[in-house]
Each structure stands twice: as structure tokens, then as C-alpha cells.
Amino acid sequence: MASSRQQILSFATSRLNRLPLSVGHRGASEQWPENSILSMGQAVKDGADGLEGDLHLTSDGEIIVMHDPSLDRTTDGTGLIKDRPWKGYIDGLRSKKEPHVPVPRCRDVLAFLAQEGNEKVWWNIDIKMNNSPALLFSKFAKLIKDHFPDRDFSSQIVLGLWHPKFLPAADRYLPNFSRIHIGFSLEIAREHFPPQTVDGYSINFMVLSTVEGRLFVKEMQAAGKQILAWTVNDTIEARECIRMGIDYVLTDRTKVLGKVLHEYETLGKEAVDKKYEDEVFNTWSRWGRYAFWRTLIWMFLTIKFRQATEQLNKEDCPCRF
């Protein structure tokens, strides 16, 4: 790990009995409009230690916070974000989910993080592979410099990278920010994001729950890396994360995860384990329940990784992958 990078992932050991920290996946997104300021605020109220969100660039260069590359699913607008301007179009849209709230810009989330009382809230930014590394990171760095010149966000922001092509741009434009690999494949994690390149790994929970995944957790934690599991919305899975020693748990259900963690904090691990001693977690039976959809997701992400490789190789990048 580069010594200049903020080690904000070390916060994982601060919870009593070394329980994992809670991360609101797009905020408290089960109940509130995902990636909205409202959703993020509610996640913090529910006890979330961190937040997770996604960035995209509009046609006029504004960075907005939204998961999909298009506006259709979550807003009353249509079209790809990259083809629509912020001013005069996206700035007037509202979420489909009630209460109908505006689409947040990246600067709006930064302002939220800068508010008094939110100094220890951190933001895990999911950098999608369809973004241009140099363009997005250079604009992100400029945004901070122009609008928050006296604020150091490197202690509150983690860059989540799906593709290794984003590492050189992160080194160039945001060298002091922690970075983790986000993925669905342990093979990609091992081959393209060795421990010396990142500060942690954010991997799908069901992948981590396999025999190979559990070995990966132990190996990377022994190398000093933090492990994040996504997306855990089930109490049985949440307790399994604790048994596995996962450092961070991403969830849509921040209030539910908060109750699970509170039970461990008040009763202690031994008492909770005894209370649920008849609870059996079976990785493969759970895989079976979602096998079709998880297989499709794995295939989709594998194809996206290859497509992103081809596209990013066309850009002027110092590393050839």
C-alpha cells in the first residue's frame, strides 16, 4: 500500500468485538430512492458507518450519482446519462420511487459528507467500467479543488475499481485516496488486483461464502487487506459475515443490519452464536435458489470486463492490458 494513501479502511477494527462496519448500499435503498441524499441521510440515521454510490458523467460534464448508465429505471427521465445534459434536463428530473427527490450531483454528496457531524461518514464510490478513467478522475479532482478547496476528502472516500485500467488514473489524479477492487470473480481479483495495488476487496457475498472465497478472505486479511461483502440483505447471511470475519457489509437494509450488529454488541458473540446455534448456513443451497440469476450476472460482468478492456485499451493510458 502506498504510504501516502489514507488508510480509512483501518476503521473496521473500531467496532466492539471486531464486528464488521455497516455500509449503506446506495444509502438505505430498500426504503428510500437509491443514491439520493435522502437515502444516504437515512442510512446514517440507521447507524451505517459508510455509504456506497455510483458516478456517471453527463453530456455537459457534470458528475452525477446514479447506478445505471441510463435514466430510465430510477427517474422520470429517459436516455443514457452520457447523452443528456445536467442543466436543463437532468436537474429537473425526480426519482420514480417516493418521495420523488432530485438526482444528486457528486458535489451534493461531498457537501453532505462535509456537514458537521458527518466527519466520520465515508463514501465508497463504485466506478463503473463504462467511465473514462482519466476524464472522470480528473473532473472529480477538479470538483474538489474548485468547490471544497479547504477540505481533505481523502479520509472519507474510497475508490471502488472494477477494472485495473483505472489504477494509473487513480495514481495520477487522486493519489491520496484509498482504493479497493469491486468484483464478482476471485480469478480477476487475484490476477489483476494483487495486494500491493489496492487497500481492500469488495466481493459478492455468495462468492466469498464458498470454500475458495473463505480462503481468499483469510489470505487477503493476512496480507493486511480489508474485505467488503455485497449485497447482504438477509439476517442469516449477515451473521455468516460476522462468523467469517468480514470487515465491511454492504446492505440495502441498513436498519435490519443495524439490529443484527446491535444484538452482538449487547449480548456478545458467544451468546448470539448460542442463540442461533441451530441456524445452518449452506452456501450451495443458497446458490441454488438464485443460480439462474447469479449465473447471468457472472456472465454479464465477465463480458463487460472484456468489453471494457477493449475500449480502455483504445484510450491513452500508460499501462497496456
Side-chain angles (χ1 to χ4, degrees):
M1 185 194 318
S3 59
S4 63
R5 293 211 297 271
Q6 291 288 336
Q7 300 183 34
I8 70 175
L9 293 179
S10 64
F11 291 170
T13 59
S14 64
R15 193 185 285 278
L16 184 65
N17 295 324
R18 205 196 173 284
L19 295 173
L21 296 190
S22 169
V23 183
H25 182 243
R26 308 175 203 167
S29 56
E30 181 185 63
Q31 186 175 1
W32 308 98
E34 64 179 59
N35 275 322
S36 66
I37 299 298
L38 173 62
S39 183
M40 295 181 188
Q42 291 297 325
V44 172
K45 288 181 180 179
D46 291 342
D49 304 284
L51 304 166
E52 184 269 356
D54 317 85
L55 301 183
H56 289 282
L57 277 168
T58 66
S59 64
D60 54 355
E62 188 71 60
I63 306 175
I64 68 169
V65 186
M66 188 170 293
H67 177 270
D68 299 359
S70 73
L71 299 161
D72 300 64
R73 181 178 65 87
T74 57
T75 79
D76 54 4
T78 60
L80 295 175
I81 295 171
K82 67 183 182 68
D83 296 332
R84 296 287 188 265
W86 167 259
K87 293 182 179 179
Y89 188 69
I90 298 178
D91 61 352
L93 300 181
R94 295 295 182 271
S95 63
K96 287 183 177 179
K97 192 170 186 175
E98 294 183 351
H100 308 296
V101 294
V103 175
R105 298 167 298 176
C106 180
R107 72 174 74 173
D108 299 322
V109 179
L110 294 178
F112 173 80
L113 295 176
Q115 288 178 9
E116 185 176 356
N118 288 343
E119 298 87 352
K120 291 187 178 180
V121 177
W122 57 275
W123 190 27
N124 172 20
I125 302 175
D126 186 334
I127 310 296
K128 301 303 185 188
M129 291 183 282
N130 60 309
N131 286 296
S132 166
L135 181 60
L136 181 64
F137 287 161
S138 63
K139 284 186 173 291
F140 186 83
K142 188 176 186 302
L143 175 65
I144 294 175
K145 181 179 179 180
D146 291 347
H147 295 277
F148 304 90
D150 300 321
R151 183 81 179 190
D152 180 11
F153 283 105
S154 62
S155 64
Q156 286 182 279
I157 291 177
V158 178
L159 306 177
L161 312 177
W162 287 84
H163 201 284
K165 276 290 201 174
F166 287 78
L167 288 168
D171 287 336
R172 180 177 179 182
Y173 297 104
L174 300 165
N176 296 328
F177 287 69
S178 294
R179 75 281 304 267
I180 59 175
H181 166 55
I182 304 177
F184 206 92
S185 166
L186 298 179
E187 180 181 359
I188 289 175
R190 290 183 184 279
E191 181 177 354
H192 302 299
F193 291 89
Q196 66 269 25
T197 65
V198 292
D199 304 295
Y201 298 87
S202 181
I203 307 293
N204 176 266
F205 167 71
M206 291 308 297
V207 173
L208 292 177
S209 70
T210 63
V211 173
E212 183 182 359
R214 291 168 192 263
L215 290 174
F216 179 85
V217 171
K218 292 180 179 179
E219 177 187 343
M220 294 307 170
Q221 287 179 332
K225 306 305 170 182
Q226 302 293 321
I227 302 296
L228 299 82
W230 54 269
T231 302
V232 179
N233 292 325
D234 179 282
T235 55
I236 294 178
E237 293 180 359
R239 284 189 285 271
E240 190 64 18
C241 282
I242 294 171
R243 298 185 191 104
M244 290 170 61
I246 297 296
D247 300 298
Y248 292 78
V249 177
L250 279 72
T251 182
D252 302 323
R253 307 175 70 190
T254 47
K255 189 172 293 185
V256 172
L257 179 58
K259 290 179 179 178
V260 171
L261 294 172
H262 179 70
E263 186 173 42
Y264 276 90
E265 290 176 327
T266 54
L267 300 181
K269 281 188 176 183
E270 185 176 344
V272 175
D273 287 343
K274 183 172 179 58
K275 178 178 179 180
Y276 298 101
E277 60 185 354
D278 295 330
E279 182 176 275
V280 177
F281 179 85
N282 187 305
T283 300
W284 299 113
S285 68
R286 285 179 174 263
W287 264 107
R289 286 160 55 188
Y290 309 108
F292 175 74
W293 292 110
R294 294 192 186 278
T295 300
L296 282 183
I297 292 172
W298 182 86
M299 292 174 62
F300 171 76
L301 292 176
T302 300
I303 293 172
K304 289 289 289 182
F305 186 87
R306 292 173 180 170
Q307 290 176 339
T309 299
E310 294 176 2
Q311 179 61 37
L312 292 169
N313 274 338
K314 297 176 182 178
E315 296 188 16
D316 183 18
C317 182
C319 77
R320 178 62 57 182
F321 174 66

